[in-house]
Amino acid sequence: MDPTGQKYFTIIDYVIFALLLVASMAIGLYYAFTGGRQRTTQEFMYADRSMKCLPLSLSLMATFQSAVAIIGTPAEVYANGTQYWFIGCSYILGLLIPAHIFIPLFYRLHLTSVYQYLELRFCKAVRICGTVTFIFQMVIYMGVGIYTPALALNAVTGFHLWGAVLATGLVCTLYTALGGLKAVVWTDVFQTVVMFTGQLAVIIVGVHQAGGLSDAWVKVRDGGRISGIDLNPDPTVRHTFWTLGVGGVFLMLSLYGVNQAQVQRYLSSRTEKEAVMSCYMVFPCLQVALMLSCLMGLVMYACYGNNSPLEQQYITSKDQMVLYFVMDMLQNFPGLPGLFVACLFSASLSTISSAFNSLATVTMVDLIKPHYSMTEARATLLSKMLALSYGIICVAMAYLVHLMNSSVLQAALSIFGMVGGPLLGLFCLGIFFPCANSIGAVIGLAAGLVMSFWVGIGGFLSRMPSSVQVLPLNSTNTVPAASGNITGPAVIDAASRPVGLNGLYSLSYMWYSALNSSTVVLIGLVISFMTGKKHGPEELLIQIDGHKEMNGNIKEDAGTEEETETFLTSNAVSPVEHETSV
Ligand SMILES: CC(C)(CO)[C@@H](O)C(=O)NCCC(=O)O
Ligand code: NA
């Protein structure tokens, strides 16, 4: 080993990494030249509404599973134990509610983008606010998504940082712009397989290096890395059962319920039933993904103990740890480091391709098409150009992320909560509250965004190193703001519990989605009552009739007769299945 800890790639590693890019590109080209040859927006954006359950579910899982999760989760588990694993509990309600409330509603309305719902329910202005908020969220997120694997690769192997960003950005933009949603979904399937294989290979070799299963188990147990369930109700503790299992439900709803990238996949399935099934299938897929990344953290602990490469200053941040571990443990297995790097980039490619495609779709459908009439051929060409432009924006965003310095997992999940949370609130206001009106919706959304940036940025600043008295155990990390374990119970005892505004600022980032969506609903309702009740179109509210089995009590709970009546299903929207165009 090099005394500086620098690790090197072999030729075979480069070949495997290159193969990933070539295979993804090939899938894109295949869908560019087969089927309808991507000549209609229906095919480009909705895969001719002909997708089947299995590829859809893998693709749904892959969208929000980027290199951030692959390297962020093990780093979290290595440092703080398996508490984070309890986020898996939130997947139950976080997927059941989309499957039975959001999917049937959106599918039966035969939407072209999920924000069209907001225009049907409220008005055009609300739709545009929703679209712009989504664009903002996804543009930041894809910057994080593309930058993360490139940075890790650069830090550990010296691979050119911007070379990796540009290569992946270029390949991803090309296959997305050429092959449309079909290419995005099928590359997702391929990339998910690479992702799981890479993680599994590292775990197996890692357990072997740690001296076998039972030795590894003893080490992580004695190191205190197996966390029991933490039922502490304090919302400022970063990870407890409540922040992860309950706060996480709101996070999942904003991602799997109302995010265009996911709704677009639901809408592209052949039948409503298939869309619901694919959402169900996401559950086991996500649990496998979560298990693999948590196990990777434990294996890392079994190999290094408390003597981490971070302690030894081979690396400078928690986020470089996983790749360092891989290069360190796998140096005698030629090809395996390359496989893991392919796994890392697979995770990110599948995320940014979904971002490009959904961003091109909403820009076209929500912002351009309503104002300019154009032929189908022009619209499709323009959509492809839009996908290309978002590719360029993505690389530009990577540069912005480069200027910030933050732990990637918490950064990504905070973005979901800060921008996705208010959007979730906006949809809930429309779907569950018949009395909400457009003014309430716009002001509610604005209030939610203000709240989210106030608490989010306030929290970030109040945790900046300058204002931190007590550093975490691992004080070589000079950016505790991001790693965030300063809010753990070991640091904040009853005497130093934050009060007033500081209490709000130290709210766990896992609650952001819940706080911000509730703010939108609450302010939206108050403003609606002040400006006069106006009932939205009945068919756009929650469809009780179709879901009696699951929500049998909602009708009773609906309260006054007037409300109950508004809740009833309208015949205007019948559960027709989409025709598949030939
Ligand atoms: C968003 C969840 C919780 C579920 O999909 C998980 O995949 C995750 O932690 N994602 C982190 C963000 C990312 O990987 O880009
Ligand atoms: Na992904």
Side-chain angles (χ1 to χ4, degrees), residues 71-119:
I71 69 179
T73 311
E76 162 65 31
V77 170
Y78 175 88
N80 305 313
T82 52
Q83 192 64 227
Y84 181 78
W85 204 327
F86 285 106
I87 199 174
C89 300
S90 72
Y91 296 170
I92 303 171
L93 278 179
L95 291 168
L96 269 179
I97 297 173
H100 291 282
I101 294 179
F102 295 109
I103 296 180
L105 182 61
F106 296 150
Y107 198 91
R108 288 171 202 185
L109 288 169
H110 211 285
L111 300 177
T112 50
S113 101
V114 69
Y115 306 104
Q116 192 189 5
Y117 171 85
L118 296 175
E119 181 172 2

Side-chain angles (χ1 to χ4, degrees), residues 140-365:
I140 306 179
Y141 175 51
M142 68 188 187
V144 178
I146 194 171
Y147 181 68
T148 302
L151 179 66
L153 188 63
N154 169 263
V156 179
T157 69
F159 196 99
H160 195 275
L161 175 68
W162 297 102
V165 168
L166 286 174
T168 45
L170 185 74
V171 168
C172 192
T173 310
L174 282 178
Y175 74 68
T176 308
L178 294 176
L181 188 67
K182 285 180 187 169
V184 173
V185 170
W186 285 105
T187 47
D188 282 0
V189 172
F190 165 68
Q191 287 155 358
T192 303
V193 173
V194 175
M195 189 173 91
F196 283 170
T197 314
Q199 286 181 294
L200 201 61
V202 173
I203 291 171
I204 292 171
V205 175
V207 167
H208 177 75
Q209 304 282 50
L213 260 185
S214 51
D215 275 17
W217 169 254
V218 170
K219 282 176 191 154
V220 295
R221 196 196 50 201
D222 294 350
R225 280 337 190 243
I226 306 295
S227 322
I229 191 163
D230 181 356
L231 291 172
N232 184 351
D234 184 350
T236 65
V237 178
R238 209 167 62 102
H239 290 161
T240 65
F241 173 75
W242 306 114
T243 61
L244 293 162
V246 182
V249 172
F250 291 86
L251 179 79
M252 289 293 290
L253 289 182
S254 79
L255 296 179
Y256 286 84
V258 302
N259 188 294
Q260 169 70 18
Q262 307 297 63
V263 173
Q264 199 168 334
R265 285 168 172 68
Y266 302 141
L267 295 176
S268 74
S269 62
R270 286 189 302 182
T271 61
E272 181 186 323
K273 206 170 151 222
E274 207 125 5
V276 173
M277 271 312 294
S278 65
C279 189
Y280 267 83
M281 287 286 298
V282 173
F283 182 77
C285 300
L286 263 186
Q287 293 292 357
V288 169
L290 181 64
M291 182 184 71
L292 287 175
S293 50
C294 288
L295 285 181
M296 175 99 74
L298 289 180
V299 170
M300 243 162 36
Y301 189 83
C303 289
Y304 289 140
N306 287 323
N307 190 20
S308 75
L310 195 61
E311 288 288 324
Q312 305 195 8
Q313 311 200 333
Y314 288 143
I315 51 176
T316 53
S317 98
K318 274 181 21 169
D319 294 327
Q320 295 159 8
M321 186 130 156
V322 171
L323 199 57
Y324 183 89
F325 168 71
V326 168
M327 302 297 289
D328 192 14
M329 290 294 145
L330 274 55
Q331 52 194 350
N332 298 326
F333 300 81
L336 278 190
L339 178 64
F340 187 77
V341 169
C343 151
L344 212 53
F345 280 90
S346 283
S348 276
L349 285 174
S350 58
T351 296
I352 55 179
S353 61
S354 308
F356 294 162
N357 188 271
S358 60
L359 282 166
T361 301
V362 294
T363 309
M364 188 65 207
V365 169

